[in-house]
């Protein structure tokens, strides 16, 4: 069965989708959820996202499962290792597969679990914001928010 919950965040409406025991998508896009019920899991995730935006939560603890190839799954697992409040470049992120930098970037772009699988923490090698399905302004907001909360690095991104 499918479930969904939504929150209004400082960067717009966020909708959480689940199938039974796993979160399958967290998105900024407008999707109709009129006939979809909430579940205990989607409500928990909505609460954790609200805590994240208040600055009270840095690590999420709920089961996720998104559809993708084995390569995409590996990329998404690697995204989970980027610490809160920090960034990495696509070049560093793909150091274990240097010839696959474009494929890694493409897999990063197919991530359907925004914020929790922190694809927003991957930036261009020159420090520029590049590619974010939710929009670069959201990426900048998320990075600045995490830096302010963690007190790591500069509190305002300069690009």
């Amino acid at each position: 069965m499918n479930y969904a919950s939504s929150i209004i965040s400082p960067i717009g409406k966020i909708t959480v989708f689940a199938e039974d025991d796993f979160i399958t998508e967290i998105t900024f896009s407008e999707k109709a959820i009129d006939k979809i019920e909430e579940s205990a899991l989607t409500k928990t995730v909505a609460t954790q996202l609200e805590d994240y935006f208040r600055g009270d939560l840095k690590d999420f603890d709920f089961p996720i499962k998104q559809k993708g190839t084995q390569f995409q799954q590996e990329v998404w697992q690697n995204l989970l290792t980027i610490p809160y409040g920090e960034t990495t470049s696509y070049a560093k992120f793909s150091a274990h597969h240097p010839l696959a930098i474009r494929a890694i970037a493409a897999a990063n772009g197919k991530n359907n679990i925004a914020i929790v699988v922190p694809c927003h923490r991957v930036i261009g090698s020159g420090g520029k914001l590049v590619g974010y399905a939710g929009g670069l302004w959201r990426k900048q907001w998320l990075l600045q928010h995490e830096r302010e909360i963690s007190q790591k690095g500069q509190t305002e991104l300069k690009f």
Side-chain angles (χ1 to χ4, degrees):
M1 186 158 194
N2 293 325
Y3 304 96
S5 294
S6 292
I7 66 164
I8 301 302
S9 78
I11 55 175
K13 181 179 176 183
I14 296 174
T15 305
V16 177
F17 292 93
E19 290 179 8
D20 296 319
D21 300 326
F22 296 96
I23 296 301
T24 57
E25 185 176 5
I26 298 175
T27 184
F28 301 108
S29 66
E30 293 292 325
K31 292 189 175 183
I33 60 168
D34 298 339
K35 296 180 178 163
I36 302 176
E37 295 178 30
E38 289 185 294
S39 69
L41 177 58
T42 61
K43 289 178 185 179
T44 296
V45 174
T47 298
Q48 285 191 22
L49 286 167
E50 289 168 342
D51 291 346
Y52 166 86
F53 283 108
R54 272 197 309 276
D56 297 333
L57 181 79
K58 295 178 183 175
D59 298 307
F60 298 94
D61 65 351
F62 49 82
I64 60 175
K65 187 179 204 177
Q66 56 181 320
K67 294 177 183 169
T69 66
Q70 183 176 348
F71 180 78
Q72 289 169 328
Q73 298 290 338
E74 179 185 329
V75 170
W76 299 330
Q77 283 300 311
N78 288 337
L79 287 169
L80 292 170
T81 67
I82 304 170
Y84 180 95
E86 296 182 20
T87 58
T88 190
S89 69
Y90 278 101
K92 284 184 184 176
F93 188 67
S94 63
H96 62 291
H97 291 299
L99 298 177
I101 190 168
R102 289 186 182 184
I104 289 171
N108 192 14
K110 299 247 187 223
N111 172 34
N112 287 322
I113 302 182
I115 302 168
V116 176
V117 178
C119 56
H120 63 277
R121 295 181 190 152
V122 184
I123 61 175
S125 295
K128 293 197 182 236
L129 294 184
V130 292
Y132 188 63
L136 291 181
W137 71 272
R138 283 190 177 106
K139 183 173 190 165
Q140 182 171 0
W141 193 98
L142 291 166
L143 293 174
Q144 186 167 331
H145 171 70
E146 290 183 3
R147 286 182 176 176
E148 287 173 358
I149 298 302
S150 65
Q151 297 182 0
K152 290 182 180 178
Q154 61 198 34
T155 57
E156 186 174 335
L157 299 174
K158 307 220 187 293
F159 296 101

